[in-house]
Amino acid sequence: MAPPALFRAAAAELRRRAPLPLPALSSLLSSPSPQSPPSSCPDPSPPAHRRHLITLCRCPRPASASAFSPDSLYDRILLPSHFPPASPLSTSSSSSSEPADKPPLTWVDNWIPEAARPYAMLARLDKPIGTWLLAWPCMWSITIAAIPGQLPDFKMLALFGCGAILLRGAGCTVNDLLDRDIDNKVERTKSRPFASGVLTPSQGVGFLGFQLLLGLGILLQLNNYSRILGASSLLLVFSYPLMKRFTFWPQAYLGLTFNWGALLGWAAIKESLDPAVVLPLYTAGICWTLVYDTIYAHQDKEDDLKVGVKSTALRFGDLTKYWISGFGAACIGSLALSGYNADLGWPYYTFLCAAAAQLSWQISTVELSNRSDCNRKFVSNKWFGALVFSGILFGRLVS
């Protein structure tokens, strides 16, 4: 169809839709000769019957009448580059979208040399919450083993704090080495050093050996009983990453691993174990881990289903809050039993009530379908550990 024929069809359609005739457009199409006077753009307040024409001629005034031939108007309609930019109030999508927000920089980005940053990320130095969760059971045990009325051994607290950093880093290195083919399929973990290709497995093995060597230096400063007990925890550290492939309860296995310090801290002070004190303390830590790591696992439950790994988040499903409420109650009950058997003073139970309230807040308010809220509740467990530690400290000072 020739261009003038297209315009005649368009004019007929506009005439059918408009409440009044469109003489301007009709005269424009019926008089295409060069002698026709040029059409002018409409005034700022056009009548309703001219609004369709405004869209067609929203352009600078032509220099000659020939510029408004049907062929040129045909080009103006079909070529979108002739139209002005969209209004700020337009709902159409813009060609240049806002860039996505970048994750905030951590102290690792600001202070660690660039060559060492992948190793710092591998050890999760930018995410200290794991170190806190590993260190608190050690601190509880060391403090509860202190002489009544006295402060705990600060040298031992410092040694176990450094040991928590190294052991947590070693555990993360082993985990990432074994899970590198899984991590690159999970949105939250695909940027980890092995999954992204920043580090090679051989570099990871070398870094693992370096961390274990430093950990051995700390272990050798403890008594012989503690050395044997501490070395035996490596079996748990190396086997934990495999549990998610075989059982829906890897969080329980993580509890056995992360709370080994509840046994080791007491042994480092007493050179023995008192089952009446340390076993309830160890049990409390395991139940606590089942609470916070189940919440944490809900961040990855869709990805876990895709790659075929297991977790308590998938095992509990819609009943998660009932399960973790039970584990939370068992945690508080076991802490109370351990404190009672250790003859802790009344401040311990005051702080334990505060810790129970914090744990109840986590469980009751967490949105298990919201990844950011799950992470926020998970991170808040450092305050639960701090409340229990404060209770043990003051309870021991007044006992």
Side-chain angles (χ1 to χ4, degrees):
M1 184 182 290
L6 283 175
F7 276 96
R8 281 193 289 274
E13 180 64 19
L14 292 175
R15 189 180 298 110
R16 184 182 65 80
R17 295 185 181 183
L20 295 175
L22 301 175
L25 185 60
S26 300
S27 62
L28 177 63
L29 296 178
S30 60
S31 304
S33 62
Q35 291 78 19
S36 300
S39 174
S40 60
C41 288
D43 56 79
S45 304
H49 69 278
R50 298 176 65 191
R51 287 178 185 157
H52 296 288
L53 184 59
I54 293 171
T55 304
L56 300 178
C57 66
R58 187 178 292 156
C59 56
R61 184 182 296 275
S64 63
S66 61
F68 261 113
S69 66
D71 289 344
S72 65
L73 193 57
Y74 171 80
D75 292 337
R76 294 180 188 279
I77 293 176
L78 295 187
L79 299 179
S81 61
H82 289 273
F83 288 95
S87 165
L89 298 178
S90 173
T91 58
S92 61
S93 58
S94 174
S95 59
S96 60
S97 57
E98 289 289 331
D101 293 337
K102 295 181 179 180
L105 296 178
T106 65
W107 73 273
V108 170
D109 300 299
N110 293 326
W111 297 101
I112 300 294
E114 186 174 357
R117 282 177 202 164
Y119 296 99
M121 297 292 186
L122 183 59
R124 309 287 198 276
L125 296 183
D126 58 321
K127 298 176 180 177
I129 178 58
T131 302
W132 282 116
L133 297 176
L134 182 60
W136 280 130
C138 305
M139 306 304 176
W140 298 348
S141 187
I142 292 170
T143 307
I144 207 171
I147 298 173
Q150 295 187 17
L151 292 171
D153 188 329
F154 286 101
K155 177 186 175 182
M156 203 61 66
L157 292 175
L159 283 175
F160 274 77
C162 294
I165 295 173
L166 292 171
L167 188 61
R168 191 265 180 128
C172 290
T173 303
V174 173
N175 181 81
D176 289 5
L177 278 169
L178 296 176
D179 286 354
R180 61 186 184 276
D181 294 332
I182 295 176
D183 287 345
N184 58 17
K185 301 174 185 176
V186 177
E187 182 65 28
R188 187 179 56 84
T189 59
K190 64 182 181 181
S191 61
R192 288 178 175 174
F194 295 137
S196 61
V198 176
L199 291 179
T200 64
S202 59
Q203 290 173 315
V205 171
F207 182 57
L208 175 62
F210 174 71
Q211 293 175 97
L212 292 177
L213 183 62
L214 293 179
L216 177 62
I218 293 177
L219 192 63
L220 291 177
Q221 299 184 55
L222 306 181
N223 56 61
N224 290 332
Y225 190 93
S226 301
R227 291 172 189 171
I228 297 173
L229 190 63
S232 62
S233 68
L234 293 179
L235 177 63
L236 295 171
V237 172
F238 285 111
S239 58
Y240 160 68
L242 300 174
M243 291 300 108
K244 64 175 73 72
R245 294 166 171 81
F246 304 112
T247 176
F248 280 100
W249 294 86
Q251 281 69 29
Y253 203 84
L254 180 67
L256 296 173
T257 307
F258 254 49
N259 295 279
W260 197 255
L263 308 176
L264 188 58
W266 180 280
I269 302 297
K270 301 288 190 179
E271 298 190 38
S272 63
L273 290 177
D274 184 351
V277 176
V278 297
L279 289 184
L281 191 65
Y282 187 47
T283 302
I286 295 171
C287 294
W288 179 40
T289 304
L290 279 162
V291 173
Y292 67 66
D293 207 54
T294 299
I295 292 175
Y296 183 81
H298 270 274
Q299 297 179 94
D300 301 329
K301 55 190 174 184
E302 290 85 3
D303 293 320
D304 289 347
L305 283 171
K306 293 177 184 177
V307 300
V309 298
K310 302 175 175 64
S311 71
T312 50
L314 297 177
R315 171 65 179 82
F316 300 158
D318 294 337
L319 299 177
T320 291
K321 288 200 174 186
Y322 293 101
W323 278 92
I324 60 178
S325 295
F327 289 127
C331 171
I332 299 300
S334 297
L335 285 172
L337 178 60
S338 179
Y340 176 80
N341 291 338
D343 295 322
L344 294 179
W346 64 266
Y348 172 71
Y349 301 98
T350 302
F351 279 94
L352 189 60
C353 289
Q358 201 278 342
L359 201 61
S360 298
W361 166 78
Q362 286 185 55
I363 296 170
S364 62
T365 63
V366 64
E367 297 179 34
L368 296 174
S369 59
N370 186 324
R371 293 189 177 188
S372 61
D373 190 57
C374 287
N375 186 68
R376 187 161 49 248
K377 297 303 191 300
F378 167 72
V379 171
S380 74
N381 279 278
K382 61 186 176 184
W383 302 115
F384 175 87
L387 287 169
V388 174
F389 173 76
S390 300
I392 295 173
L393 177 63
F394 288 105
R396 179 53 75 206
L397 289 175
V398 303
S399 61

